Amino acid sequence: MKPVVINSPDQNKERKRLDKSNNFEEFKLDDSLKSIGKDKLYYLYTYGCQGNESDSEKIRGLMEEMSFTITYDLDKTDVILMNTCAIRKNAEDKVFGEIGRLKQLKRRKPELIVGLCGCMAQEESVVRKLLTKYQNVDFIFGTHNIHSLPLLIKRVMENKERVVDVLSYEGDIVEKIPMVRESKIKAWVPIMYGCDEFCTYCIVPYTRGKERSRLPENIIKEVEGLISEGYKEITLLGQNVNAYGKDFVDLKYDFADLLTDLSKLPIPRIRFTTNNPKDFDDRQIEAIKNSKNIMPAIHLPVQSGSNKVLKKMNRKYTKESFIELCDKLYKAIPGVSITTDIIVAFPYETEEDFNETLELVKRCNFEGAYTFIFSPREGTPAAKYIDKDITEDVAYDRLYRLNDLVNEGYGRGNKRFLGQTVKVLIEGYSKNQNDILMGYTENNKLVNVIGDKKYIGEIVDVEITDAKTWSLDGKIID
Ligand code: SAH
Ligand code: SF4
Ligand code: F3S
């Protein structure tokens, strides 16, 4: 069937940053769409970062406002939605593998509707491949038009068309999209969308558009609503939360202001992710220091410990300024846990450069890190960097050496709490043992405890009785 292409992705347009002002909109679902999902089930896959998890909560909100019901059983579902991630090749391979598997299901159930959205939908090459090789995908929409889902799904259901609608512009801010949140205890709160950093390896500025901040009053209103619903923890989301507000044209209000205002609200725990060292300033550190409810756990991606590599990555800070920032954080926020992201085997990274990364990991006392092998992303500058010296063996050798060191940090970060009494927000039963409760400390350490289900959703005092590399054990002190 020939697809109806309303809009398709165009990386040259995605790269542009011309429109300085933000366009704000409010979503409203047309009454005629409110019951199109009656007696129908949907299944939702979510890949990628917290931004995508948050988008999936909007997708659930939209589906449920159209009267669809969620299912976790693929055999029973009428609609499948895949919210995808494009950050590395293996993220995309996972999605293509799953779509391949769904071909069989679709053969058995030809009326099944499959939709794909998220960051992969914003890539020209992916959409081309889906349209030619994956006939079982019925519709594709992008990160800028999640709110088009109702109209698109209606078209696919009623006209039996294949539809593509992916916008390649800088992006708007759309408020009031309904949400069904995953948890009743912890909530994601996006404070900004997009990214203007253009780190040379990264696809996000193309797939998510320009950096644009939500208005403070909308964020504050959302958090007040969460408090009244009994939420205990919020995590503010953005690709570079430290740059929040820099895009406001007539408003002088930045991330430090937002932290200060939110920390005055009666929410027990505030977290934020992710930070870009280059925009993490002293006022923000002061705001954290002066608050009681901003948690002492900071995720501060460094990517590399070599100034040469940082420059090639377009990270706009140096090893020295990064160390200085860590030192400031350790001094201002006693006991803070700092974690990071690191890419190894970036083109032109030599053994000496890599050793500088290892040194930096030791120097900064990280208590955890997400580590990755560089993955070339089509259309980004670094995809054109060629370095024949970095073979797959070299890359994996560096990754394993780095991971050994990082794991020591995880262990050290947990051991320092042995014998102490810490506050834990109990979230539910442990995944592996269903009679054990689990939760996180203020420093974001996973704790398992024996206890009654009445503690779920509560912040309790826990005495730490054992510290392992990946988790702590403890007992609740009543
Ligand atoms: N905005 C965040 C990062 C979001 S992506 C920041 O700047 O810190 C999450 C992590 O994925 C990055 O920190 C980086 O370590 C990794 N990453 C991004 N692009 C990558 C690529 N092409 N290859 C390997 N890792 C990558
Ligand atoms: Fe990607 Fe850099 Fe933006 Fe993070 S700051 S999303 S790594 S371009
Ligand atoms: Fe992936 Fe897009 Fe997030 S590429 S990491 S889902 S911003």
Side-chain angles (χ1 to χ4, degrees), residues 224-235:
E224 285 170 342
L226 291 166
I227 295 168
S228 68
E229 287 174 51
Y231 279 84
K232 297 282 162 50
E233 178 175 308
I234 55 164
T235 302

Side-chain angles (χ1 to χ4, degrees), residues 195-199 201-205 239-240 276 303 315:
C195 182
D196 284 347
E197 287 302 320
F198 290 94
C199 302
Y201 50 81
C202 186
I203 191 102
V204 174
Q239 292 298 343
N240 172 5
N276 192 313
Q303 314 299 358
R315 285 294 286 185

Side-chain angles (χ1 to χ4, degrees), residues 23-29 58 62 147 172-179 189-193 212-222 244:
N23 182 29
F24 294 90
E25 277 178 39
E26 281 190 8
F27 174 82
K28 193 171 177 301
L29 187 70
K58 290 181 182 156
L62 291 167
H147 54 287
D172 303 326
I173 293 186
V174 188
E175 294 287 349
K176 302 219 168 132
I177 299 180
M179 269 193 196
V189 178
I191 61 167
M192 61 201 296
Y193 304 102
R212 51 209 193 276
S213 304
R214 289 179 70 196
L215 293 174
E217 59 263 34
N218 290 334
I219 299 171
I220 292 168
K221 233 184 283 157
E222 182 172 336
Y244 171 81

